[in-house]
Amino acid sequence: MKNTNRLIWFNGEILPVDEAKINVLSPTSQFGINVFEGVRCYWNEEKEQLYIFKFNEHIKRLLNSVKLLSLECSYSEEELKEYFLETVKANDYREDITVRQTIFLDGQGSWSSTGPTSMFIAPIPKRRAFDFDKIGLNCSVSSWERIEDNAISPRIKVGANYLNSRMAQLEAVRNGYDTTILKNRQGKISEAPGSCLFIVRDNILITPSVTSSILESITRDLVIKLAREELGLKVIERDVDRTELYIADEAFLCGTAMEVVPVKMIDGYKINNCEGDITQAIRKLYFSIARNEFYNYKEWVTPVY
Ligand SMILES: Cc1ncc(COP(=O)(O)O)c(C=O)c1O
């Protein structure tokens, strides 16, 4: 099944993506009031199986986003998973795919309406974020400030949050960078427009804490766990200063879309060891677990077929 004529789940029906229509006056199209997850599924050729990576965690975060925005949504965790599986099976995918599951404010209400909501689940075209002909990302530190919890919370995945990501990413690209890293209101490092940041200093893995204006990233969590349990590394979640980025031994971005990608340069400062041992080890672990080739973390992968 090609992504262009893929089947999606839309309010209880499986239908071609072109046939799913939403109201132009809906608060989702006027104000970006929707919550969503992007979920990756990895194909294992040998086992002829497609694995959903970190399914439980994505569904849990989706429900947290629904709760925080006070959206009327009666789907249970089980139903959200069941419909997701139904969508992927309907397309009979046998390759790596990304699926977006979005609950949005429908109808013709305003920005303060709480219902009615609708849901779609759609496989979306998503290339690898990182081109391997190129070694590492060239990043800036953004002039834009990351949204913060007392204004618009970055903790959850809300469509409108990506306005902030957009401003930062487009500025970075205009200035010749691949992407950018934002600081928070306190002037400390937070995250990239669509991924989280780790640096390595003296063999210690360091990442901004979950109270530093970041999304509660599923990949960030798993990187912390793998670094501690599999690599025996010390991991510290703390405030990170801008200049620490410039003198880091290694740096990488991570996230569902980003996966694990090394950073080679920040604001023109060369990272000492781009694609260093720690970044490479984490990257390798990530892919072998996601494809269910490494059995210690079976609960992180859910077979589709
Ligand atoms: C702003 C932002 N930060 C971090 C991440 C990484 O989060 P996760 O690992 O849950 O995909 C994402 C991607 O979803 C994101 O959009």
Side-chain angles (χ1 to χ4, degrees):
M1 176 65 67
K2 291 237 168 6
N3 269 321
T4 44
N5 59 356
R6 62 199 182 274
L7 298 171
I8 75 163
W9 190 101
F10 187 58
N11 287 340
E13 273 185 275
I14 297 276
L15 68 171
V17 66
D18 292 347
E19 289 176 25
K21 305 271 188 264
I22 63 163
N23 193 316
V24 292
L25 291 178
S26 60
T28 189
S29 43
Q30 294 297 303
F31 308 108
I33 304 178
N34 57 70
V35 295
F36 69 101
E37 286 296 318
V39 184
R40 275 204 192 259
C41 306
Y42 290 91
W43 176 247
N44 182 315
E45 189 66 54
E46 200 185 311
K47 297 192 173 78
E48 296 199 355
Q49 182 58 272
L50 187 64
Y51 293 101
I52 308 169
F53 194 42
K54 288 277 181 181
F55 200 17
N56 293 334
E57 289 80 355
H58 280 288
I59 298 297
K60 193 168 160 211
R61 188 170 63 189
L62 185 61
L63 287 170
N64 279 342
S65 301
V66 163
K67 179 176 182 186
L68 209 58
L69 286 203
S70 306
L71 295 177
E72 287 160 25
C73 168
S74 54
Y75 296 123
S76 67
E77 210 172 309
E78 288 66 37
E79 284 168 328
L80 292 172
K81 284 183 176 169
E82 185 190 325
Y83 304 146
F84 183 109
L85 278 163
E86 211 179 287
T87 313
V88 179
K89 283 182 184 159
N91 287 283
D92 197 30
Y93 281 117
R94 273 142 217 286
E95 62 194 281
D96 291 358
I97 55 157
T98 302
V99 178
R100 184 165 298 155
Q101 185 156 11
T102 300
I103 296 169
F104 60 93
L105 201 48
D106 208 344
Q108 298 191 22
S110 74
W111 47 264
S112 60
S113 309
T114 55
T117 61
S118 292
M119 178 164 74
F120 70 82
I121 306 169
I124 50 167
K126 196 114 200 160
R127 287 179 301 125
R128 290 263 110 76
F130 181 53
D131 170 5
F132 278 94
D133 294 340
K134 222 170 63 164
I135 300 166
L137 297 168
N138 181 14
C139 300
S140 60
V141 173
S142 186
S143 73
W144 292 94
E145 184 180 286
R146 186 70 182 130
I147 46 175
E148 63 115 20
D149 205 54
N150 288 311
I152 298 180
S153 180
R155 190 174 309 284
I156 52 168
K157 270 181 99 72
V158 182
N161 282 8
Y162 286 83
L163 283 181
N164 177 240
S165 299
R166 176 183 169 87
M167 297 308 278
Q169 178 65 21
L170 294 186
E171 177 194 60
V173 171
R174 260 196 319 272
N175 292 337
Y177 297 97
D178 296 315
T179 190
T180 190
I181 297 158
L182 291 98
K183 289 181 286 164
N184 59 24
R185 175 129 309 170
Q186 289 69 42
K188 302 297 178 186
I189 295 299
S190 61
E191 62 181 343
S195 56
C196 281
L197 173 81
F198 281 84
I199 58 171
V200 178
R201 299 193 62 194
D202 298 324
N203 281 320
I204 297 173
L205 201 54
I206 301 165
T207 192
S209 72
V210 285
T211 51
S212 55
S213 300
I214 65 168
L215 177 73
E216 289 194 344
S217 154
I218 292 162
T219 317
R220 174 186 171 282
D221 260 13
L222 75 88
V223 166
I224 292 173
K225 197 169 163 72
L226 292 178
R228 287 187 178 137
E229 291 183 5
E230 297 300 321
L231 305 177
L233 289 173
K234 185 167 176 187
V235 184
I236 309 178
E237 299 173 65
R238 65 156 170 82
D239 281 350
V240 173
D241 279 336
R242 173 182 198 147
T243 54
E244 289 190 270
L245 307 184
Y246 302 158
I247 56 172
D249 299 323
E250 298 180 36
F252 62 88
L253 297 180
C254 71
T256 302
M258 186 63 81
E259 298 167 319
V260 177
V261 176
V263 171
K264 70 172 175 197
M265 192 105 86
I266 303 178
D267 279 348
Y269 287 90
K270 200 166 168 298
I271 298 298
N272 290 337
N273 198 1
C274 170
E275 284 203 301
D277 293 347
I278 293 177
T279 306
Q280 282 200 49
I282 287 177
R283 212 185 134 70
K284 211 166 149 222
L285 276 167
Y286 175 94
F287 282 106
S288 57
I289 293 167
R291 289 195 204 286
N292 197 18
E293 295 163 354
F294 185 81
Y295 296 107
N296 289 7
Y297 298 90
K298 266 192 157 339
E299 70 281 7
W300 292 5
V301 291
T302 308
V304 170
Y305 301 114

